[in-house]
Amino acid sequence: AFVPSPPRDNWYQSSSFYGSSFALITSVSEDGLTNIGPYQLSFPFEVIKRRSWMVISRPSSNTVANVRRTRKCALNFIEYSREAIETILKFGYPGQPPAEKMAYNTFRLMDSPTPGRTGDGYPQILADAFQVFECTLDVERINENPILRDSTSAHLLLNIDNILVKEQW
């Protein structure tokens, strides 16, 4: 039998079963530190002529503020492990300052191996990831599209500049 599931904030997590992958997005906070935020609502957006990714978030998240300011981020994909999930859950609490959130971090951060993608607002990436998408926010296309621009959720349309994959994959 089916039973109703009442609507709640973050309905896709709290009121439904929506199986999907997630990305750990690294971005640079105002104080210049790499911040990590988990995002389930992230998925391929364009797959033929362009490589782009869509992230949907609360507009008040640290990641959204960082990416809108620097226009840069990296989507880090990791293999499942129970220990990693416990850390990721701690990253997901809204309203935490980046320094407080990063106190939970058990992931190894490293500079990008891509020439020109260190310093100046470029985030570090997770050495523990099996794949990383290095991205740039497409501000022009967001501003041109009223659905993306005027939504009560934040839509980060990210152009994928580089895809890094661990050699064994």
mmCIF file of all heavy atoms in Angstrom, residues 20-26 36-44 52-55 73-81 84-85 88 107 124-135 158 160 162-166 168-169:
data_model
loop_
_atom_site.group_PDB
_atom_site.id
_atom_site.type_symbol
_atom_site.label_atom_id
_atom_site.label_comp_id
_atom_site.label_asym_id
_atom_site.label_seq_id
_atom_site.Cartn_x
_atom_site.Cartn_y
_atom_site.Cartn_z
ATOM 1 N N SER A 20 20.249 9.130 -6.262
ATOM 2 C CA SER A 20 21.124 9.822 -7.202
ATOM 3 C C SER A 20 22.508 9.956 -6.593
ATOM 4 O O SER A 20 22.700 9.836 -5.388
ATOM 5 C CB SER A 20 20.566 11.206 -7.557
ATOM 6 O OG SER A 20 20.630 12.072 -6.452
ATOM 7 N N SER A 21 23.445 10.227 -7.460
ATOM 8 C CA SER A 21 24.799 10.442 -6.980
ATOM 9 C C SER A 21 24.896 11.843 -6.373
ATOM 10 O O SER A 21 23.949 12.618 -6.414
ATOM 11 C CB SER A 21 25.783 10.293 -8.137
ATOM 12 O OG SER A 21 25.529 11.284 -9.104
ATOM 13 N N PHE A 22 26.044 12.159 -5.845
ATOM 14 C CA PHE A 22 26.265 13.497 -5.319
ATOM 15 C C PHE A 22 27.690 13.903 -5.653
ATOM 16 O O PHE A 22 28.539 13.078 -5.965
ATOM 17 C CB PHE A 22 26.019 13.563 -3.806
ATOM 18 C CG PHE A 22 26.948 12.679 -3.022
ATOM 19 C CD1 PHE A 22 28.181 13.145 -2.582
ATOM 20 C CD2 PHE A 22 26.609 11.368 -2.744
ATOM 21 C CE1 PHE A 22 29.040 12.326 -1.883
ATOM 22 C CE2 PHE A 22 27.461 10.541 -2.040
ATOM 23 C CZ PHE A 22 28.683 11.024 -1.605
ATOM 24 N N ALA A 23 27.916 15.197 -5.594
ATOM 25 C CA ALA A 23 29.252 15.738 -5.813
ATOM 26 C C ALA A 23 29.675 16.488 -4.560
ATOM 27 O O ALA A 23 28.851 17.130 -3.908
ATOM 28 C CB ALA A 23 29.256 16.691 -7.007
ATOM 29 N N LEU A 24 30.931 16.384 -4.221
ATOM 30 C CA LEU A 24 31.507 17.218 -3.171
ATOM 31 C C LEU A 24 32.128 18.408 -3.897
ATOM 32 O O LEU A 24 33.127 18.260 -4.609
ATOM 33 C CB LEU A 24 32.556 16.450 -2.372
ATOM 34 C CG LEU A 24 32.002 15.291 -1.557
ATOM 35 C CD1 LEU A 24 33.131 14.492 -0.927
ATOM 36 C CD2 LEU A 24 31.053 15.807 -0.486
ATOM 37 N N ILE A 25 31.504 19.562 -3.747
ATOM 38 C CA ILE A 25 31.950 20.742 -4.490
ATOM 39 C C ILE A 25 32.942 21.516 -3.646
ATOM 40 O O ILE A 25 32.635 21.907 -2.520
ATOM 41 C CB ILE A 25 30.761 21.618 -4.894
ATOM 42 C CG1 ILE A 25 29.792 20.813 -5.768
ATOM 43 C CG2 ILE A 25 31.247 22.877 -5.611
ATOM 44 C CD1 ILE A 25 28.570 21.567 -6.211
ATOM 45 N N THR A 26 34.134 21.713 -4.208
ATOM 46 C CA THR A 26 35.124 22.556 -3.545
ATOM 47 C C THR A 26 35.062 23.936 -4.179
ATOM 48 O O THR A 26 34.942 24.080 -5.399
ATOM 49 C CB THR A 26 36.552 21.965 -3.636
ATOM 50 O OG1 THR A 26 36.863 21.638 -4.987
ATOM 51 C CG2 THR A 26 36.690 20.725 -2.768
ATOM 52 N N ILE A 36 34.291 22.665 1.340
ATOM 53 C CA ILE A 36 33.680 21.486 0.717
ATOM 54 C C ILE A 36 32.193 21.459 1.061
ATOM 55 O O ILE A 36 31.822 21.557 2.232
ATOM 56 C CB ILE A 36 34.321 20.175 1.221
ATOM 57 C CG1 ILE A 36 35.830 20.179 0.989
ATOM 58 C CG2 ILE A 36 33.668 18.965 0.551
ATOM 59 C CD1 ILE A 36 36.557 19.012 1.660
ATOM 60 N N GLY A 37 31.355 21.312 0.050
ATOM 61 C CA GLY A 37 29.915 21.189 0.260
ATOM 62 C C GLY A 37 29.363 20.024 -0.543
ATOM 63 O O GLY A 37 29.688 19.878 -1.716
ATOM 64 N N PRO A 38 28.538 19.158 0.074
ATOM 65 C CA PRO A 38 27.931 18.037 -0.652
ATOM 66 C C PRO A 38 26.659 18.480 -1.382
ATOM 67 O O PRO A 38 25.832 19.184 -0.823
ATOM 68 C CB PRO A 38 27.600 17.044 0.466
ATOM 69 C CG PRO A 38 27.387 17.905 1.675
ATOM 70 C CD PRO A 38 28.249 19.114 1.504
ATOM 71 N N TYR A 39 26.517 18.030 -2.629
ATOM 72 C CA TYR A 39 25.356 18.397 -3.430
ATOM 73 C C TYR A 39 24.789 17.195 -4.140
ATOM 74 O O TYR A 39 25.428 16.617 -5.012
ATOM 75 C CB TYR A 39 25.718 19.503 -4.443
ATOM 76 C CG TYR A 39 25.840 20.813 -3.721
ATOM 77 C CD1 TYR A 39 27.030 21.172 -3.104
ATOM 78 C CD2 TYR A 39 24.738 21.630 -3.570
ATOM 79 C CE1 TYR A 39 27.123 22.332 -2.378
ATOM 80 C CE2 TYR A 39 24.825 22.803 -2.844
ATOM 81 C CZ TYR A 39 26.019 23.145 -2.249
ATOM 82 O OH TYR A 39 26.104 24.291 -1.520
ATOM 83 N N GLN A 40 23.563 16.824 -3.764
ATOM 84 C CA GLN A 40 22.875 15.718 -4.419
ATOM 85 C C GLN A 40 22.213 16.199 -5.702
ATOM 86 O O GLN A 40 22.203 15.481 -6.698
ATOM 87 C CB GLN A 40 21.824 15.108 -3.499
ATOM 88 C CG GLN A 40 21.084 13.957 -4.160
ATOM 89 C CD GLN A 40 19.952 13.417 -3.321
ATOM 90 O OE1 GLN A 40 19.626 13.954 -2.277
ATOM 91 N NE2 GLN A 40 19.332 12.358 -3.784
ATOM 92 N N LEU A 41 21.655 17.386 -5.695
ATOM 93 C CA LEU A 41 20.978 17.890 -6.892
ATOM 94 C C LEU A 41 22.007 18.493 -7.836
ATOM 95 O O LEU A 41 22.106 19.695 -8.019
ATOM 96 C CB LEU A 41 19.902 18.911 -6.519
ATOM 97 C CG LEU A 41 18.670 18.333 -5.836
ATOM 98 C CD1 LEU A 41 17.677 19.427 -5.489
ATOM 99 C CD2 LEU A 41 18.007 17.269 -6.699
ATOM 100 N N SER A 42 22.793 17.608 -8.411
ATOM 101 C CA SER A 42 23.788 18.014 -9.401
ATOM 102 C C SER A 42 23.791 16.953 -10.484
ATOM 103 O O SER A 42 23.757 15.762 -10.183
ATOM 104 C CB SER A 42 25.160 18.172 -8.743
ATOM 105 O OG SER A 42 25.807 16.954 -8.551
ATOM 106 N N PHE A 43 23.786 17.388 -11.731
ATOM 107 C CA PHE A 43 23.604 16.436 -12.822
ATOM 108 C C PHE A 43 24.061 17.048 -14.141
ATOM 109 O O PHE A 43 24.159 18.265 -14.277
ATOM 110 C CB PHE A 43 22.132 16.020 -12.920
ATOM 111 C CG PHE A 43 21.173 17.169 -12.781
ATOM 112 C CD1 PHE A 43 20.811 17.934 -13.869
ATOM 113 C CD2 PHE A 43 20.659 17.500 -11.530
ATOM 114 C CE1 PHE A 43 19.939 19.004 -13.727
ATOM 115 C CE2 PHE A 43 19.792 18.567 -11.382
ATOM 116 C CZ PHE A 43 19.430 19.330 -12.489
ATOM 117 N N PRO A 44 24.341 16.190 -15.146
ATOM 118 C CA PRO A 44 24.718 16.706 -16.461
ATOM 119 C C PRO A 44 23.615 17.604 -17.005
ATOM 120 O O PRO A 44 22.427 17.320 -16.842
ATOM 121 C CB PRO A 44 24.860 15.455 -17.319
ATOM 122 C CG PRO A 44 25.037 14.344 -16.355
ATOM 123 C CD PRO A 44 24.312 14.729 -15.109
ATOM 124 N N SER A 52 28.454 20.680 -19.753
ATOM 125 C CA SER A 52 28.053 21.535 -18.632
ATOM 126 C C SER A 52 27.309 20.708 -17.594
ATOM 127 O O SER A 52 26.836 19.606 -17.866
ATOM 128 C CB SER A 52 27.211 22.722 -19.099
ATOM 129 O OG SER A 52 25.973 22.303 -19.587
ATOM 130 N N TRP A 53 27.214 21.271 -16.400
ATOM 131 C CA TRP A 53 26.654 20.591 -15.234
ATOM 132 C C TRP A 53 25.756 21.580 -14.518
ATOM 133 O O TRP A 53 26.072 22.770 -14.442
ATOM 134 C CB TRP A 53 27.805 20.175 -14.321
ATOM 135 C CG TRP A 53 27.472 19.106 -13.340
ATOM 136 C CD1 TRP A 53 27.132 19.292 -12.025
ATOM 137 C CD2 TRP A 53 27.498 17.696 -13.537
ATOM 138 N NE1 TRP A 53 26.929 18.084 -11.417
ATOM 139 C CE2 TRP A 53 27.152 17.079 -12.336
ATOM 140 C CE3 TRP A 53 27.776 16.897 -14.648
ATOM 141 C CZ2 TRP A 53 27.075 15.702 -12.183
ATOM 142 C CZ3 TRP A 53 27.698 15.529 -14.503
ATOM 143 C CH2 TRP A 53 27.348 14.947 -13.275
ATOM 144 N N MET A 54 24.640 21.097 -14.003
ATOM 145 C CA MET A 54 23.720 21.944 -13.244
ATOM 146 C C MET A 54 23.753 21.539 -11.781
ATOM 147 O O MET A 54 23.708 20.356 -11.450
ATOM 148 C CB MET A 54 22.294 21.794 -13.782
ATOM 149 C CG MET A 54 21.252 22.613 -13.026
ATOM 150 S SD MET A 54 21.494 24.393 -13.125
ATOM 151 C CE MET A 54 21.110 24.685 -14.840
ATOM 152 N N VAL A 55 23.829 22.542 -10.921
ATOM 153 C CA VAL A 55 23.737 22.336 -9.475
ATOM 154 C C VAL A 55 22.586 23.194 -8.982
ATOM 155 O O VAL A 55 22.508 24.384 -9.301
ATOM 156 C CB VAL A 55 25.047 22.744 -8.756
ATOM 157 C CG1 VAL A 55 24.887 22.647 -7.240
ATOM 158 C CG2 VAL A 55 26.212 21.893 -9.240
ATOM 159 N N CYS A 73 34.851 26.460 -9.378
ATOM 160 C CA CYS A 73 34.635 25.389 -8.412
ATOM 161 C C CYS A 73 35.127 24.091 -9.019
ATOM 162 O O CYS A 73 35.490 24.039 -10.201
ATOM 163 C CB CYS A 73 33.163 25.270 -8.010
ATOM 164 S SG CYS A 73 32.056 24.705 -9.313
ATOM 165 N N ALA A 74 35.145 23.054 -8.207
ATOM 166 C CA ALA A 74 35.471 21.711 -8.691
ATOM 167 C C ALA A 74 34.460 20.741 -8.099
ATOM 168 O O ALA A 74 34.136 20.820 -6.908
ATOM 169 C CB ALA A 74 36.894 21.325 -8.293
ATOM 170 N N LEU A 75 33.946 19.846 -8.933
ATOM 171 C CA LEU A 75 33.039 18.800 -8.483
ATOM 172 C C LEU A 75 33.870 17.544 -8.312
ATOM 173 O O LEU A 75 34.480 17.060 -9.268
ATOM 174 C CB LEU A 75 31.931 18.561 -9.507
ATOM 175 C CG LEU A 75 30.793 19.580 -9.529
ATOM 176 C CD1 LEU A 75 31.244 20.925 -10.027
ATOM 177 C CD2 LEU A 75 29.664 19.073 -10.374
ATOM 178 N N ASN A 76 33.925 17.051 -7.090
ATOM 179 C CA ASN A 76 34.736 15.899 -6.733
ATOM 180 C C ASN A 76 33.823 14.712 -6.480
ATOM 181 O O ASN A 76 32.882 14.808 -5.688
ATOM 182 C CB ASN A 76 35.524 16.204 -5.464
ATOM 183 C CG ASN A 76 36.421 17.416 -5.614
ATOM 184 O OD1 ASN A 76 37.589 17.270 -5.932
ATOM 185 N ND2 ASN A 76 35.881 18.611 -5.393
ATOM 186 N N PHE A 77 34.104 13.594 -7.139
ATOM 187 C CA PHE A 77 33.296 12.391 -6.987
ATOM 188 C C PHE A 77 34.160 11.336 -6.294
ATOM 189 O O PHE A 77 35.278 11.063 -6.723
ATOM 190 C CB PHE A 77 32.818 11.894 -8.350
ATOM 191 C CG PHE A 77 31.952 12.904 -9.052
ATOM 192 C CD1 PHE A 77 32.509 13.839 -9.912
ATOM 193 C CD2 PHE A 77 30.582 12.930 -8.838
ATOM 194 C CE1 PHE A 77 31.716 14.777 -10.559
ATOM 195 C CE2 PHE A 77 29.781 13.869 -9.479
ATOM 196 C CZ PHE A 77 30.356 14.799 -10.344
ATOM 197 N N ILE A 78 33.615 10.752 -5.223
ATOM 198 C CA ILE A 78 34.371 9.785 -4.426
ATOM 199 C C ILE A 78 33.662 8.442 -4.430
ATOM 200 O O ILE A 78 32.462 8.363 -4.682
ATOM 201 C CB ILE A 78 34.551 10.275 -2.969
ATOM 202 C CG1 ILE A 78 33.191 10.447 -2.288
ATOM 203 C CG2 ILE A 78 35.369 11.555 -2.914
ATOM 204 C CD1 ILE A 78 33.269 10.589 -0.790
ATOM 205 N N GLU A 79 34.409 7.400 -4.112
ATOM 206 C CA GLU A 79 33.819 6.081 -3.940
ATOM 207 C C GLU A 79 33.104 6.043 -2.593
ATOM 208 O O GLU A 79 33.460 6.773 -1.660
ATOM 209 C CB GLU A 79 34.892 5.000 -3.972
ATOM 210 C CG GLU A 79 35.517 4.820 -5.332
ATOM 211 C CD GLU A 79 36.481 3.667 -5.345
ATOM 212 O OE1 GLU A 79 36.010 2.508 -5.333
ATOM 213 O OE2 GLU A 79 37.692 3.928 -5.363
ATOM 214 N N TYR A 80 32.118 5.166 -2.481
ATOM 215 C CA TYR A 80 31.381 5.033 -1.237
ATOM 216 C C TYR A 80 32.256 4.419 -0.146
ATOM 217 O O TYR A 80 32.971 3.448 -0.364
ATOM 218 C CB TYR A 80 30.136 4.154 -1.426
ATOM 219 C CG TYR A 80 29.439 3.893 -0.123
ATOM 220 C CD1 TYR A 80 28.584 4.837 0.414
ATOM 221 C CD2 TYR A 80 29.701 2.741 0.613
ATOM 222 C CE1 TYR A 80 27.968 4.626 1.629
ATOM 223 C CE2 TYR A 80 29.090 2.525 1.833
ATOM 224 C CZ TYR A 80 28.227 3.475 2.340
ATOM 225 O OH TYR A 80 27.633 3.278 3.552
ATOM 226 N N SER A 81 32.184 5.005 1.034
ATOM 227 C CA SER A 81 32.707 4.386 2.250
ATOM 228 C C SER A 81 31.913 4.953 3.423
ATOM 229 O O SER A 81 31.509 6.121 3.407
ATOM 230 C CB SER A 81 34.203 4.640 2.432
ATOM 231 O OG SER A 81 34.440 5.898 3.002
ATOM 232 N N ALA A 84 33.446 8.035 4.981
ATOM 233 C CA ALA A 84 33.282 9.233 4.152
ATOM 234 C C ALA A 84 31.867 9.796 4.292
ATOM 235 O O ALA A 84 31.690 11.010 4.389
ATOM 236 C CB ALA A 84 33.586 8.916 2.696
ATOM 237 N N ILE A 85 30.862 8.927 4.315
ATOM 238 C CA ILE A 85 29.479 9.387 4.430
ATOM 239 C C ILE A 85 29.273 10.141 5.745
ATOM 240 O O ILE A 85 28.592 11.164 5.778
ATOM 241 C CB ILE A 85 28.487 8.209 4.298
ATOM 242 C CG1 ILE A 85 28.547 7.628 2.883
ATOM 243 C CG2 ILE A 85 27.073 8.621 4.659
ATOM 244 C CD1 ILE A 85 28.187 8.580 1.763
ATOM 245 N N ILE A 88 30.653 13.550 5.212
ATOM 246 C CA ILE A 88 29.823 14.295 4.262
ATOM 247 C C ILE A 88 28.551 14.800 4.935
ATOM 248 O O ILE A 88 28.130 15.936 4.706
ATOM 249 C CB ILE A 88 29.502 13.417 3.037
ATOM 250 C CG1 ILE A 88 30.793 13.171 2.256
ATOM 251 C CG2 ILE A 88 28.433 14.036 2.160
ATOM 252 C CD1 ILE A 88 30.712 12.019 1.284
ATOM 253 N N PHE A 107 39.039 14.511 4.373
ATOM 254 C CA PHE A 107 39.538 14.332 3.012
ATOM 255 C C PHE A 107 40.863 15.068 2.842
ATOM 256 O O PHE A 107 41.106 16.108 3.442
ATOM 257 C CB PHE A 107 38.530 14.862 1.989
ATOM 258 C CG PHE A 107 37.241 14.102 1.980
ATOM 259 C CD1 PHE A 107 36.096 14.652 2.520
ATOM 260 C CD2 PHE A 107 37.169 12.827 1.433
ATOM 261 C CE1 PHE A 107 34.905 13.955 2.527
ATOM 262 C CE2 PHE A 107 35.977 12.123 1.435
ATOM 263 C CZ PHE A 107 34.851 12.686 1.980
ATOM 264 N N GLN A 124 41.153 23.987 -4.218
ATOM 265 C CA GLN A 124 41.874 22.718 -4.247
ATOM 266 C C GLN A 124 40.868 21.621 -4.589
ATOM 267 O O GLN A 124 39.655 21.830 -4.550
ATOM 268 C CB GLN A 124 42.515 22.457 -2.895
ATOM 269 C CG GLN A 124 43.651 23.414 -2.589
ATOM 270 C CD GLN A 124 44.268 23.098 -1.250
ATOM 271 O OE1 GLN A 124 43.596 23.163 -0.221
ATOM 272 N NE2 GLN A 124 45.546 22.750 -1.265
ATOM 273 N N ILE A 125 41.383 20.446 -4.930
ATOM 274 C CA ILE A 125 40.527 19.312 -5.245
ATOM 275 C C ILE A 125 40.791 18.218 -4.212
ATOM 276 O O ILE A 125 41.749 18.305 -3.445
ATOM 277 C CB ILE A 125 40.757 18.805 -6.685
ATOM 278 C CG1 ILE A 125 42.189 18.303 -6.876
ATOM 279 C CG2 ILE A 125 40.420 19.908 -7.690
ATOM 280 C CD1 ILE A 125 42.445 17.665 -8.241
ATOM 281 N N LEU A 126 39.930 17.203 -4.196
ATOM 282 C CA LEU A 126 40.082 16.111 -3.245
ATOM 283 C C LEU A 126 41.008 15.042 -3.820
ATOM 284 O O LEU A 126 40.705 14.458 -4.865
ATOM 285 C CB LEU A 126 38.737 15.482 -2.910
ATOM 286 C CG LEU A 126 37.682 16.380 -2.274
ATOM 287 C CD1 LEU A 126 36.448 15.570 -1.914
ATOM 288 C CD2 LEU A 126 38.221 17.095 -1.066
ATOM 289 N N ALA A 127 42.117 14.795 -3.143
ATOM 290 C CA ALA A 127 43.037 13.735 -3.559
ATOM 291 C C ALA A 127 42.338 12.382 -3.496
ATOM 292 O O ALA A 127 42.719 11.452 -4.203
ATOM 293 C CB ALA A 127 44.284 13.745 -2.673
ATOM 294 N N ASP A 128 41.295 12.269 -2.681
ATOM 295 C CA ASP A 128 40.545 11.023 -2.499
ATOM 296 C C ASP A 128 39.521 10.769 -3.604
ATOM 297 O O ASP A 128 38.917 9.703 -3.643
ATOM 298 C CB ASP A 128 39.805 11.056 -1.153
ATOM 299 C CG ASP A 128 40.726 11.392 -0.008
ATOM 300 O OD1 ASP A 128 41.501 10.513 0.389
ATOM 301 O OD2 ASP A 128 40.702 12.549 0.465
ATOM 302 N N ALA A 129 39.295 11.739 -4.480
ATOM 303 C CA ALA A 129 38.287 11.585 -5.541
ATOM 304 C C ALA A 129 38.795 10.632 -6.620
ATOM 305 O O ALA A 129 39.996 10.496 -6.832
ATOM 306 C CB ALA A 129 37.967 12.940 -6.158
ATOM 307 N N PHE A 130 37.852 9.961 -7.293
ATOM 308 C CA PHE A 130 38.249 9.168 -8.463
ATOM 309 C C PHE A 130 38.064 9.983 -9.737
ATOM 310 O O PHE A 130 38.631 9.666 -10.773
ATOM 311 C CB PHE A 130 37.487 7.837 -8.551
ATOM 312 C CG PHE A 130 36.000 7.965 -8.788
ATOM 313 C CD1 PHE A 130 35.498 8.094 -10.064
ATOM 314 C CD2 PHE A 130 35.118 7.920 -7.719
ATOM 315 C CE1 PHE A 130 34.130 8.198 -10.283
ATOM 316 C CE2 PHE A 130 33.747 8.018 -7.933
ATOM 317 C CZ PHE A 130 33.258 8.159 -9.213
ATOM 318 N N GLN A 131 37.273 11.067 -9.645
ATOM 319 C CA GLN A 131 37.020 11.930 -10.794
ATOM 320 C C GLN A 131 36.734 13.334 -10.294
ATOM 321 O O GLN A 131 36.090 13.509 -9.259
ATOM 322 C CB GLN A 131 35.818 11.397 -11.574
ATOM 323 C CG GLN A 131 35.412 12.233 -12.755
ATOM 324 C CD GLN A 131 34.347 11.535 -13.559
ATOM 325 O OE1 GLN A 131 34.618 11.001 -14.599
ATOM 326 N NE2 GLN A 131 33.116 11.530 -13.069
ATOM 327 N N VAL A 132 37.217 14.326 -11.039
ATOM 328 C CA VAL A 132 37.003 15.733 -10.690
ATOM 329 C C VAL A 132 36.626 16.492 -11.961
ATOM 330 O O VAL A 132 37.266 16.325 -12.995
ATOM 331 C CB VAL A 132 38.273 16.366 -10.074
ATOM 332 C CG1 VAL A 132 38.056 17.847 -9.782
ATOM 333 C CG2 VAL A 132 38.704 15.623 -8.813
ATOM 334 N N PHE A 133 35.572 17.311 -11.860
ATOM 335 C CA PHE A 133 35.218 18.238 -12.932
ATOM 336 C C PHE A 133 35.639 19.628 -12.460
ATOM 337 O O PHE A 133 35.130 20.116 -11.448
ATOM 338 C CB PHE A 133 33.711 18.269 -13.200
ATOM 339 C CG PHE A 133 33.105 16.983 -13.700
ATOM 340 C CD1 PHE A 133 31.737 16.862 -13.748
ATOM 341 C CD2 PHE A 133 33.874 15.914 -14.127
ATOM 342 C CE1 PHE A 133 31.130 15.698 -14.218
ATOM 343 C CE2 PHE A 133 33.289 14.736 -14.589
ATOM 344 C CZ PHE A 133 31.916 14.637 -14.638
ATOM 345 N N GLU A 134 36.541 20.266 -13.181
ATOM 346 C CA GLU A 134 36.926 21.647 -12.871
ATOM 347 C C GLU A 134 36.025 22.558 -13.708
ATOM 348 O O GLU A 134 35.936 22.401 -14.927
ATOM 349 C CB GLU A 134 38.397 21.876 -13.195
ATOM 350 C CG GLU A 134 39.302 21.039 -12.315
ATOM 351 C CD GLU A 134 40.765 21.199 -12.621
ATOM 352 O OE1 GLU A 134 41.152 21.141 -13.819
ATOM 353 O OE2 GLU A 134 41.534 21.393 -11.664
ATOM 354 N N CYS A 135 35.334 23.478 -13.039
ATOM 355 C CA CYS A 135 34.246 24.210 -13.682
ATOM 356 C C CYS A 135 34.351 25.717 -13.514
ATOM 357 O O CYS A 135 34.970 26.217 -12.576
ATOM 358 C CB CYS A 135 32.907 23.771 -13.089
ATOM 359 S SG CYS A 135 32.560 22.019 -13.262
ATOM 360 N N LEU A 158 27.266 25.296 -14.680
ATOM 361 C CA LEU A 158 28.729 25.215 -14.671
ATOM 362 C C LEU A 158 29.244 24.656 -15.987
ATOM 363 O O LEU A 158 28.843 23.564 -16.404
ATOM 364 C CB LEU A 158 29.189 24.318 -13.522
ATOM 365 C CG LEU A 158 28.720 24.727 -12.130
ATOM 366 C CD1 LEU A 158 29.031 23.623 -11.127
ATOM 367 C CD2 LEU A 158 29.352 26.047 -11.724
ATOM 368 N N ILE A 160 32.057 22.798 -17.808
ATOM 369 C CA ILE A 160 33.116 21.886 -17.395
ATOM 370 C C ILE A 160 34.353 22.196 -18.243
ATOM 371 O O ILE A 160 34.363 21.969 -19.453
ATOM 372 C CB ILE A 160 32.681 20.413 -17.547
ATOM 373 C CG1 ILE A 160 31.440 20.140 -16.682
ATOM 374 C CG2 ILE A 160 33.833 19.480 -17.185
ATOM 375 C CD1 ILE A 160 30.820 18.774 -16.909
ATOM 376 N N ASN A 162 37.627 21.070 -17.412
ATOM 377 C CA ASN A 162 38.515 19.917 -17.423
ATOM 378 C C ASN A 162 37.856 18.769 -16.686
ATOM 379 O O ASN A 162 37.186 18.987 -15.676
ATOM 380 C CB ASN A 162 39.833 20.214 -16.692
ATOM 381 C CG ASN A 162 40.561 21.381 -17.281
ATOM 382 O OD1 ASN A 162 40.907 21.373 -18.445
ATOM 383 N ND2 ASN A 162 40.789 22.397 -16.474
ATOM 384 N N ILE A 163 38.083 17.566 -17.161
ATOM 385 C CA ILE A 163 37.675 16.357 -16.448
ATOM 386 C C ILE A 163 38.946 15.604 -16.112
ATOM 387 O O ILE A 163 39.717 15.240 -17.008
ATOM 388 C CB ILE A 163 36.719 15.483 -17.281
ATOM 389 C CG1 ILE A 163 35.403 16.241 -17.559
ATOM 390 C CG2 ILE A 163 36.434 14.169 -16.557
ATOM 391 C CD1 ILE A 163 34.431 15.492 -18.445
ATOM 392 N N LEU A 164 39.167 15.404 -14.818
ATOM 393 C CA LEU A 164 40.336 14.656 -14.336
ATOM 394 C C LEU A 164 39.849 13.313 -13.816
ATOM 395 O O LEU A 164 38.877 13.268 -13.065
ATOM 396 C CB LEU A 164 41.016 15.427 -13.207
ATOM 397 C CG LEU A 164 41.401 16.888 -13.495
ATOM 398 C CD1 LEU A 164 41.892 17.561 -12.213
ATOM 399 C CD2 LEU A 164 42.430 16.952 -14.586
ATOM 400 N N VAL A 165 40.486 12.243 -14.228
ATOM 401 C CA VAL A 165 40.110 10.903 -13.791
ATOM 402 C C VAL A 165 41.370 10.204 -13.303
ATOM 403 O O VAL A 165 42.422 10.279 -13.942
ATOM 404 C CB VAL A 165 39.472 10.091 -14.949
ATOM 405 C CG1 VAL A 165 39.083 8.699 -14.479
ATOM 406 C CG2 VAL A 165 38.288 10.817 -15.533
ATOM 407 N N LYS A 166 41.254 9.530 -12.167
ATOM 408 C CA LYS A 166 42.403 8.748 -11.664
ATOM 409 C C LYS A 166 42.773 7.697 -12.689
ATOM 410 O O LYS A 166 41.903 7.082 -13.302
ATOM 411 C CB LYS A 166 42.058 8.074 -10.329
ATOM 412 C CG LYS A 166 41.966 9.043 -9.149
ATOM 413 C CD LYS A 166 43.334 9.302 -8.559
ATOM 414 C CE LYS A 166 43.311 10.299 -7.432
ATOM 415 N NZ LYS A 166 43.077 9.761 -6.125
ATOM 416 N N GLN A 168 43.739 4.606 -12.602
ATOM 417 C CA GLN A 168 43.216 3.251 -12.510
ATOM 418 C C GLN A 168 41.755 3.159 -12.953
ATOM 419 O O GLN A 168 41.273 2.068 -13.202
ATOM 420 C CB GLN A 168 43.379 2.677 -11.085
ATOM 421 C CG GLN A 168 42.418 3.226 -10.049
ATOM 422 C CD GLN A 168 43.002 4.363 -9.213
ATOM 423 O OE1 GLN A 168 43.930 5.029 -9.629
ATOM 424 N NE2 GLN A 168 42.471 4.575 -8.040
ATOM 425 N N TRP A 169 41.047 4.262 -13.071
ATOM 426 C CA TRP A 169 39.670 4.229 -13.530
ATOM 427 C C TRP A 169 39.639 4.265 -15.049
ATOM 428 O O TRP A 169 38.677 4.025 -15.688
ATOM 429 C CB TRP A 169 38.870 5.398 -12.937
ATOM 430 C CG TRP A 169 38.520 5.113 -11.523
ATOM 431 C CD1 TRP A 169 39.342 5.191 -10.441
ATOM 432 C CD2 TRP A 169 37.269 4.649 -11.026
ATOM 433 N NE1 TRP A 169 38.679 4.820 -9.302
ATOM 434 C CE2 TRP A 169 37.396 4.486 -9.630
ATOM 435 C CE3 TRP A 169 36.056 4.373 -11.613
ATOM 436 C CZ2 TRP A 169 36.361 4.056 -8.837
ATOM 437 C CZ3 TRP A 169 35.016 3.949 -10.809
ATOM 438 C CH2 TRP A 169 35.178 3.794 -9.434
#
